[in-house]
Amino acid sequence: MQNDQESFGVLYENDKYDLQQFLQNHPGGLNYLAPYKGKDISKRMQDSQHSRAAFYLFKEYKKDGKRKPANGDEEDFEKLVDWDKPMLAQVGSLGTQYKEWVISPVDRNLRLFGNPILENLSITPWYVVPVIWIPIIMFLIQIGAQQYVETTKDTNRAGIILYVGLGIIAWSLMEYSLHRWVFHMEPSGYSKLMIYLHFAIHGLHHKVPFDTRRLVFPPFPAAIIALTLYKAFSFILPESIIVLFVAGGLVGYVTYDMIHFYLHYGSPRENSYFYNLKRYHNQHHFAHHDSGFGISSIFWDKVFGTAINLRKLGMSIIW
């Protein structure tokens, strides 16, 4: 049993909650929550206009473990599934309730597959991404540079840098496009197949946004995507350019994955680039699911009109 120093108790509508587990993840930071330790936060929760997703997540921290409705929300979608069983096999049966369930976050770890091999392939610690992909990127740049010089007889590195840079830029647009039109697609007719697909590629991240094992893209499906793009471009571009272009795309991908993990668990300095990105990504998760699709940059959100306008802060955030 936790003692007072290991807990962060608050009172909400006469029920006790312990927010200790949520302190590092709260979008408002530690300094926002600190004054309310041991106090009744009922009025504050209402006055600060927390989102529906925030109230739903709040139920996770009730001390007695019973997910009593908060803010008049009588629906508890977790009764629709069994968290002791693999989730992918269950989500198809949710039908039209799937959309509300998947954007209603919980603070838990999730098992996706029953098969242990498939399950392990779906789990990726953050450091696996650079460990696997950086050597591959270096190899591709080396091979691509050699082929480029042999093919073009151009020993100037500007061409090599250009095509790697174009790959990075292309990834930036691909990052936005995948997140908006693939990861956030609405399952057509709520067919079981489309629900399975949506949940496996991104829905699970919105359902369990604090599961550290599922914050970066697993190398196996990433390799399939990279190989597919390589084959697609091989019909229109010379081999050396494709290799450099793909290497640049992988640089963008690794950067994106590391930034994404940092936005969930990092503590950026006030008013830094990542400070504002972290606020931006929190808004996407808890309030604006249909906008704010940029992760490493909000440039394409501005281009396509899906940018989130961040409110002016009353105090700095300390995560």
Side-chain angles (χ1 to χ4, degrees):
M1 184 175 180
Q2 290 180 325
N3 59 41
D4 290 340
Q5 293 181 340
E6 295 173 332
S7 65
F8 193 99
V10 295
L11 197 66
Y12 178 79
E13 294 186 348
N14 298 319
D15 287 312
K16 295 179 180 180
Y17 293 76
D18 183 2
L19 302 183
Q20 182 67 35
Q21 184 177 329
F22 185 53
L23 291 181
Q24 66 175 327
N25 299 317
H26 189 274
L30 295 172
N31 55 333
Y32 180 90
L33 286 174
Y36 298 98
K37 184 175 182 179
K39 297 181 179 180
D40 190 322
I41 62 171
S42 302
K43 186 176 186 303
R44 182 57 178 161
M45 285 282 285
Q46 299 295 340
D47 291 347
S48 57
Q49 298 181 329
H50 279 70
S51 67
R52 179 202 167 282
F55 275 105
Y56 193 89
L57 178 63
F58 184 54
K59 300 177 188 179
E60 289 284 282
Y61 308 110
K62 196 162 179 291
K63 274 196 169 183
D64 63 8
K66 298 178 181 178
R67 289 180 51 84
K68 180 180 177 180
N71 194 32
D73 179 8
E74 298 300 327
E75 189 89 45
D76 181 12
F77 294 108
E78 304 324 303
K79 295 178 180 178
L80 302 175
V81 295
D82 185 346
W83 279 88
D84 293 325
K85 297 179 179 179
M87 196 59 67
L88 187 60
Q90 302 181 65
V91 294
S93 63
L94 294 177
T96 56
Q97 292 181 296
Y98 170 75
K99 183 178 180 179
E100 282 298 315
W101 175 81
V102 82
I103 62 172
S104 301
V106 294
D107 190 355
R108 311 178 188 185
N109 286 340
L110 180 145
R111 183 176 182 87
L112 189 62
F113 297 102
N115 182 288
I117 296 177
L118 291 177
E119 178 66 10
N120 287 331
L121 287 174
S122 74
I123 293 172
T124 311
W126 71 268
Y127 54 82
V128 169
V129 172
V131 165
I132 288 179
W133 287 110
I134 288 178
I136 293 175
I137 290 169
M138 294 174 66
F139 174 76
L140 290 176
I141 291 176
Q142 181 182 9
I143 295 299
Q146 290 175 353
Q147 291 178 342
Y148 180 79
V149 172
E150 291 172 0
T151 303
T152 65
K153 308 304 180 183
D154 181 5
T155 57
N156 193 326
R157 294 181 180 179
I160 296 170
I161 295 172
L162 171 64
Y163 290 117
V164 173
L166 287 175
I168 294 173
I169 294 172
W171 166 261
S172 176
L173 177 58
M174 186 175 176
E175 171 194 315
Y176 174 87
S177 301
L178 284 173
H179 194 186
R180 179 179 180 180
W181 288 298
V182 179
F183 295 173
H184 278 267
M185 65 178 178
E186 187 167 306
S188 177
Y190 292 94
S191 70
K192 286 189 175 183
L193 178 61
M194 293 303 294
I195 289 175
Y196 292 145
L197 181 62
H198 178 270
F199 187 69
I201 62 176
H202 191 64
L204 62 86
H205 176 54
H206 275 265
K207 188 62 187 177
V208 288
F210 310 127
D211 188 341
T212 58
R213 310 164 309 155
R214 301 189 181 280
L215 286 178
V216 296
F217 205 60
F220 182 70
I224 293 175
I225 294 174
L227 183 60
T228 301
L229 291 175
Y230 175 84
K231 292 295 185 182
F233 282 110
S234 66
F235 294 105
I236 56 176
L237 292 173
E239 176 76 11
S240 60
I241 292 177
I242 296 172
V243 173
L244 293 172
F245 187 81
V246 170
L250 290 173
V251 170
Y253 153 67
V254 172
T255 302
Y256 144 79
D257 243 354
M258 295 301 94
I259 288 176
H260 185 220
F261 187 88
Y262 183 71
L263 296 185
H264 277 268
Y265 279 96
S267 302
R269 290 183 295 105
E270 183 179 1
N271 294 327
S272 67
Y273 179 73
F274 295 116
Y275 178 90
N276 292 315
L277 273 186
K278 185 176 175 81
R279 289 188 61 209
Y280 193 82
H281 194 55
N282 275 327
Q283 287 294 312
H284 170 72
H285 266 282
F286 299 110
H288 302 283
H289 303 105
D290 297 325
S291 55
F293 299 106
I295 306 297
S296 59
S297 167
I298 66 172
F299 174 79
W300 296 109
D301 274 316
K302 291 180 177 179
V303 171
F304 290 105
T306 54
I308 299 170
N309 293 320
L310 298 177
R311 293 186 303 172
K312 186 177 181 179
L313 292 173
M315 67 173 74
S316 62
I317 299 175
I318 301 175
W319 283 290

